[in-house]
Amino acid sequence: MPIQYESDINSKIDNNLKEFAEAKCLTGVELQKITTHYDLKLTETGNALGINTSALYGKQKASQALQTNVSLLLRLYALFDDKIPRIDPPKLTDLVDLIQKVEPSFPDYAIGPILGLEVTSGHRLINKGFEKASQSTRVLAWLVFQILSENLDNWGLVKSVILTEAKARGIKDPTTVFTQGGWGKEQPVFRYQSSTTDGSAVRTGVVKKKLVRRAKTED
């Protein structure tokens, strides 16, 4: 017979999550179950538990007991799922309407490039919304909506950021990105850039100059 505090949890927990009320160590199996039960993206699970996504992969496959703090979080989320931190994107139409309040001529399909996607993706978003969009796209839509909801004057800054990114991606006329896309069609511009022997650009980081010692010569 369960002891009193287990009974207290059992009376409030979802029938499909009863194991989270049991006095048995939680493992990666239960971690996966929470993710599936609440339809969480990997980044949402990581954010909710304070674990980076690469570490999550290992924990989900492990059979040993989870860390105490992670286990406590899982048990509490099983009871209070409304506290799981999520970032839900706005309705696509609401985001487009907000932009068109500032820029009435803004075409619906340009929402693709606004979210770092191609124009064709903009058309797909119009037809299907954010249901199948990547989590990065969903977060970006949420962020742009929040920024514009606070102050429509921020639209100028949002556009400036997009144009800056287009220039960084090597798009010769950044303004064309809104109607033509082309995020991945040009050569990106890196702060530090070196070349391979065939002249093609390669990714670089901070370039360190190699000291060259000159041999002493006699006068």
Side-chain angles (χ1 to χ4, degrees), residues 106-161:
F106 180 84
D108 291 1
Y109 63 80
I111 197 64
I114 291 295
L115 300 177
L117 305 171
E118 295 301 327
V119 172
T120 51
S121 296
H123 289 295
R124 281 198 297 273
L125 286 174
I126 291 168
N127 294 328
K128 300 181 180 179
F130 292 113
E131 284 300 311
K132 300 297 182 181
S134 72
Q135 184 65 358
S136 295
T137 298
R138 291 162 61 88
V139 172
L140 183 53
W142 170 84
L143 182 57
V144 171
F145 187 79
Q146 294 299 316
I147 290 169
L148 296 182
S149 294
E150 289 177 5
N151 190 340
L152 287 176
D153 290 341
N154 287 332
W155 174 237
L157 287 173
V158 172
K159 284 188 75 173
S160 294
V161 166

Side-chain angles (χ1 to χ4, degrees), residues 5 10 13 60 72 77 114 127 134 150 154 156 183 196 210:
Y5 47 79
N10 253 306
I13 204 165
Q60 286 179 336
L72 289 170
Y77 284 140
I114 291 295
N127 294 328
S134 72
E150 289 177 5
N154 287 332
W183 286 116
T196 58
K210 188 175 181 180

Side-chain angles (χ1 to χ4, degrees), residues 41-149:
K41 306 291 189 215
L42 188 64
T43 50
E44 289 177 322
T45 304
N47 188 35
L49 300 176
I51 302 173
N52 65 56
T53 52
S54 60
L56 268 178
Y57 281 116
K59 289 185 181 296
Q60 286 179 336
K61 295 177 181 179
S63 58
Q64 65 262 35
L66 295 170
Q67 290 172 254
T68 307
N69 48 9
V70 173
S71 185
L72 289 170
L73 281 168
L74 288 176
R75 293 182 192 278
L76 287 171
Y77 284 140
L79 285 165
F80 304 98
D81 61 285
D82 61 307
K83 299 298 186 288
I84 297 175
R86 295 173 183 259
I87 293 181
D88 292 320
K91 289 182 179 178
L92 184 74
T93 51
D94 290 345
L95 178 55
V96 172
D97 288 346
L98 199 56
I99 294 172
Q100 289 176 341
K101 282 184 180 180
V102 194
E103 190 173 318
S105 61
F106 180 84
D108 291 1
Y109 63 80
I111 197 64
I114 291 295
L115 300 177
L117 305 171
E118 295 301 327
V119 172
T120 51
S121 296
H123 289 295
R124 281 198 297 273
L125 286 174
I126 291 168
N127 294 328
K128 300 181 180 179
F130 292 113
E131 284 300 311
K132 300 297 182 181
S134 72
Q135 184 65 358
S136 295
T137 298
R138 291 162 61 88
V139 172
L140 183 53
W142 170 84
L143 182 57
V144 171
F145 187 79
Q146 294 299 316
I147 290 169
L148 296 182
S149 294

Side-chain angles (χ1 to χ4, degrees), residues 6-17:
E6 287 182 70
S7 298
D8 290 343
I9 300 172
N10 253 306
S11 64
K12 297 181 180 180
I13 204 165
D14 188 293
N15 284 331
N16 294 317
L17 300 174

